[in-house]
Amino acid sequence: MRPVRRPSQQSLTSLSTEAINKTLSNLDWKSLLICRLVCKFLRSAIDESTTAQYAIELAVAGMEDGARSQLTAASRLALLKERNACWDALKWGETRDLPLLHPVDIIWDLCGGVFAQSGLPGALRLHRLPSQYRNIQASSWRIPLLSDTEDFAIDPAQDLLALIEKPILILTHDNTKSHVRIRIHLRSVTTGRVHPSIINGVRIISHDLDMQCASIDLNLQISGDFLGVLFIAQGENTPELTVWNWKKGELILTRSSSEIAAFAFLTSHLLLVGTVMNETKVTEPRLFVLDMSQPSTIKVTLTADYVCVFGFPPFNIVVSPTGIVIRSDPSPEWKPNPEARIPFSIARGQRLFLITTWVKEKKKEVSYDLFVPANMLLSYVTALPPRSSRHVISWDTWGPTGTRLLKSPPHSRIWTGYVFGSKFVSLIASPKAKATTGQPSPQTIQMWDFNQLAIKRAAALNVEKEHVRRVDDTTVVRDTVFVKTIRTSLPYSITTRALSPPRSPEEPIFTDAMCGEDTIFLVDSKRRFLRVLIF
């Protein structure tokens, strides 16, 4: 009987270093960490592989790899570590001052490292801010701007500028069917001409609002192919939220309800809508999740159809709501233009939502900030049964451990770019200094970071960094505006750095702060300029 020949078996250790590294390069960071626990050999191989270490460091930093370039994994890893160290210490490399062209009625936007502002007659001024670690060069340019521009939004990665003309009230002979006409122009950020990606030749989106007042507050947001606009007019006019596919000029969704007060894109097909009142005019902040995957041209109310709603802690019945704002940047679909050859950028899942609610109690207005990661909200949405609708997720289910709620730290209602990725920036002034010395108060930059993976690694390794404080304890809010005591415990870190005090009255005093992927913006108190701290 002929003996059976068994195939030869090679151990993992017999493979070449090149074969092992090639295999490791195909694993994501979670798989790499699991393999690292298997044996000493794999742990050593992963620790010595720059490709594996780069993948892990990207994940911990909340970043993702960029387009292919001449930079090796080792070079990218070195740049990433150096960049992270500078942000951990709030150690910027240079500063630049950007003049504000029209400090009173300025229209501005900050997106993708580009700051755009109106102010010059018939022109929009744009500044691309540099980055020493991400191979971005500074540049400035102007493009034509409509003389009757009411507001605009930009997305430099898509070379998109969305301009809205001043709303026009269209009157009828008997005023029974008066309405407001909106015209949206879709142009190139680079040239100011018609955007080249428009498919159906719809250069201008025209839309009529069932409103009798042309004085309208606008909120524009861009996410991939979608352009969303919230229209809120004065008086008894009902707010309207509308989303278009801007490339095709197609209407995707329209909701009209008195309770709509804010919105943001949650994913490529989910919309987050904030309210401070319910349908019966009772104070009840909520977050509605709407599905945009099935386009509809029919205008319906907010509560006619929704995936789910996240409840807030109940407010006292004597409290009156005055507003709600949802801030998150970048959009869920944002990614840098691959032609820019940027080595790495913010991960698309690494987003923080900051929901600010203003209420009035006994003629005194106070505000509360709710910090919540996007992936936490999504974990509840994706856990719902398929095609689920009208599901209510109570505050006690999602809020206590998945969020952090507290009285608002200092941030502006005008300069609202204070959130980027998982970070929130605030400018703190010492209230005691001026009273005791008569000199301007020293100011401190605070950077709050809700990157949970970085916080977990720092805690596991017992890493203590200068000027960085981890907040792991529970925040307890016992204010009378709420029906009951509120406890939240989402961990975060705070990095602080003091600014040099002004040495003369001519030197600027800053009032507000904003942040981007490579920058911190400080707003001069007299609104003459923005000081940009560049990393």
Side-chain angles (χ1 to χ4, degrees):
M1 185 176 183
R2 176 180 282 182
V4 177
R5 300 184 62 181
R6 296 184 179 181
S8 60
Q9 293 183 350
Q10 289 184 321
S11 67
L12 192 63
T13 55
S14 66
L15 296 177
S16 66
T17 302
E18 181 181 359
I20 292 173
N21 287 338
K22 183 68 174 177
T23 302
L24 294 177
S25 67
N26 292 316
L27 301 180
D28 61 18
W29 66 273
K30 290 183 179 179
S31 300
L32 288 169
L33 292 180
I34 293 172
C35 288
R36 196 175 176 275
L37 300 175
V38 172
C39 63
K40 290 182 179 180
F41 175 78
L42 276 179
R43 181 166 67 181
S44 177
I46 291 171
D47 289 348
E48 293 174 6
S49 168
T50 53
T51 302
Q53 289 303 303
Y54 178 52
I56 293 171
E57 288 300 318
L58 279 173
V60 173
M63 311 287 281
E64 62 184 40
D65 197 18
R68 290 185 178 181
S69 68
Q70 295 180 346
L71 285 177
T72 63
S75 298
R76 295 186 185 216
L77 177 61
L79 282 174
L80 180 62
K81 286 185 173 181
E82 189 175 350
R83 174 194 179 276
N84 293 344
C86 289
W87 273 104
D88 287 343
L90 287 181
K91 185 180 179 181
W92 47 88
E94 62 172 304
T95 63
R96 298 192 180 202
D97 289 346
L98 299 181
L100 294 177
L101 304 176
H102 202 304
V104 178
D105 296 321
I106 182 175
I107 308 174
W108 65 274
D109 196 15
L110 173 63
C111 178
V114 175
F115 178 77
Q117 61 172 322
S118 64
L120 297 174
L124 187 67
R125 181 74 169 176
L126 300 105
H127 303 270
R128 185 181 303 279
L129 286 311
S131 169
Q132 57 182 325
Y133 299 113
R134 299 201 307 130
N135 190 34
I136 300 174
Q137 304 299 317
S139 61
S140 298
W141 68 100
R142 298 178 184 178
I143 58 175
L145 183 69
L146 298 173
S147 59
D148 59 348
T149 297
E150 180 72 10
D151 205 350
F152 67 84
I154 63 172
D155 183 351
Q158 299 190 91
D159 191 31
L160 175 62
L161 166 66
L163 292 169
I164 297 188
E165 297 178 11
K166 290 187 180 298
I168 300 175
L169 180 62
I170 308 297
L171 297 173
T172 57
H173 67 282
D174 56 0
N175 288 337
T176 57
K177 295 184 179 180
S178 299
H179 59 275
V180 172
R181 179 152 298 163
I182 300 294
R183 285 164 54 89
I184 305 174
H185 298 252
L186 305 167
R187 299 187 174 183
S188 162
V189 164
T190 306
T191 65
R193 302 189 184 98
V194 174
H195 198 282
S197 295
I198 292 176
I199 297 173
N200 296 332
V202 182
R203 300 181 178 185
I204 301 174
I205 294 175
S206 183
H207 184 67
D208 290 342
L209 301 171
D210 294 329
M211 297 180 179
Q212 282 70 51
C213 174
S215 179
I216 298 175
D217 292 329
L218 304 172
N219 180 1
L220 290 75
Q221 296 189 38
I222 301 168
S223 180
D225 293 349
F226 293 131
L227 168 65
V229 186
L230 175 59
F231 305 93
I232 299 180
Q234 298 177 355
E236 298 298 321
N237 296 279
T238 303
E240 181 176 309
L241 173 60
T242 305
V243 179
W244 292 270
N245 181 313
W246 63 268
K247 290 182 179 179
K248 298 179 180 179
E250 292 180 356
L251 188 62
I252 301 298
L253 173 149
T254 303
R255 297 298 174 94
S256 180
S257 292
S258 60
E259 60 266 33
I260 297 176
F263 84 102
F265 289 99
L266 180 58
T267 69
S268 60
H269 66 281
L270 294 176
L271 200 63
L272 198 64
V273 180
T275 70
V276 289
M277 297 184 301
N278 61 22
E279 302 88 324
T280 60
K281 307 296 184 183
V282 174
T283 303
E284 187 183 3
R286 292 178 291 177
L287 294 174
F288 287 82
V289 177
L290 309 183
D291 188 355
M292 301 184 295
S293 61
Q294 299 296 326
S296 173
T297 59
I298 301 174
K299 182 187 300 184
V300 296
T301 63
L302 175 62
T303 57
D305 183 32
Y306 55 90
V307 177
C308 63
V309 59
F310 290 89
F312 270 56
F315 281 84
N316 196 307
I317 195 170
V318 299
V319 171
S320 301
T322 59
I324 185 171
V325 170
I326 303 174
R327 290 299 308 162
S328 182
D329 194 35
S331 70
E333 288 296 286
W334 189 89
K335 58 182 178 180
N337 190 324
E339 295 180 0
R341 302 294 180 185
I342 294 173
F344 42 76
S345 61
I346 193 75
R348 275 165 279 183
Q350 190 70 14
R351 299 170 60 230
L352 174 73
F353 282 98
L354 173 50
I355 299 121
T356 303
T357 305
W358 285 271
V359 296
K360 186 175 290 186
E361 182 191 31
K362 298 179 180 179
K363 299 183 179 181
K364 180 182 178 181
E365 188 177 61
V366 294
S367 64
Y368 295 86
D369 283 347
L370 179 66
F371 297 87
V372 50
N375 56 15
M376 196 285 302
L377 291 172
L378 283 172
S379 67
Y380 286 96
V381 177
T382 55
L384 296 175
R387 299 181 181 179
S388 182
S389 65
R390 299 173 176 272
H391 194 90
V392 177
I393 303 172
S394 68
W395 167 258
D396 290 338
T397 298
W398 73 282
T401 58
T403 72
R404 182 71 69 156
L405 184 143
L406 65 167
K407 269 192 173 179
S408 299
H411 58 75
S412 174
R413 283 192 174 187
I414 299 173
W415 303 98
T416 54
Y418 40 74
V419 174
F420 189 89
S422 62
K423 293 184 172 69
F424 160 76
V425 68
S426 182
L427 192 62
I428 309 295
S430 171
K432 298 181 180 179
K434 191 169 184 179
T436 56
T437 65
Q439 300 298 317
S441 303
Q443 295 175 298
T444 299
I445 296 175
Q446 284 194 354
M447 185 67 73
W448 299 21
D449 195 346
F450 289 81
N451 180 344
Q452 297 302 295
L453 192 57
I455 292 170
K456 289 177 181 178
R457 183 168 80 166
L461 299 177
N462 197 24
V463 175
E464 296 292 340
K465 298 178 181 178
E466 189 178 6
H467 309 304
V468 180
R469 176 172 62 92
R470 289 200 309 270
V471 181
D472 299 311
D473 57 340
T474 298
T475 297
V476 181
V477 179
R478 293 191 174 93
D479 297 358
T480 57
V481 299
F482 294 103
V483 172
K484 61 181 181 179
T485 300
I486 309 300
R487 291 179 171 85
T488 52
S489 58
L490 180 71
Y492 64 103
S493 65
I494 301 178
T495 305
T496 60
R497 177 172 172 180
L499 297 175
S500 300
R503 290 168 291 184
S504 69
E506 289 74 28
E507 291 195 11
I509 299 175
F510 301 106
T511 56
D512 301 296
M514 303 190 295
C515 61
E517 190 159 3
D518 306 293
T519 52
I520 295 175
F521 291 76
L522 302 177
V523 184
D524 173 37
S525 60
K526 297 180 181 178
R527 297 188 180 178
R528 297 168 297 178
F529 64 88
L530 300 177
R531 176 154 295 169
V532 189
L533 314 178
I534 301 168
F535 291 81

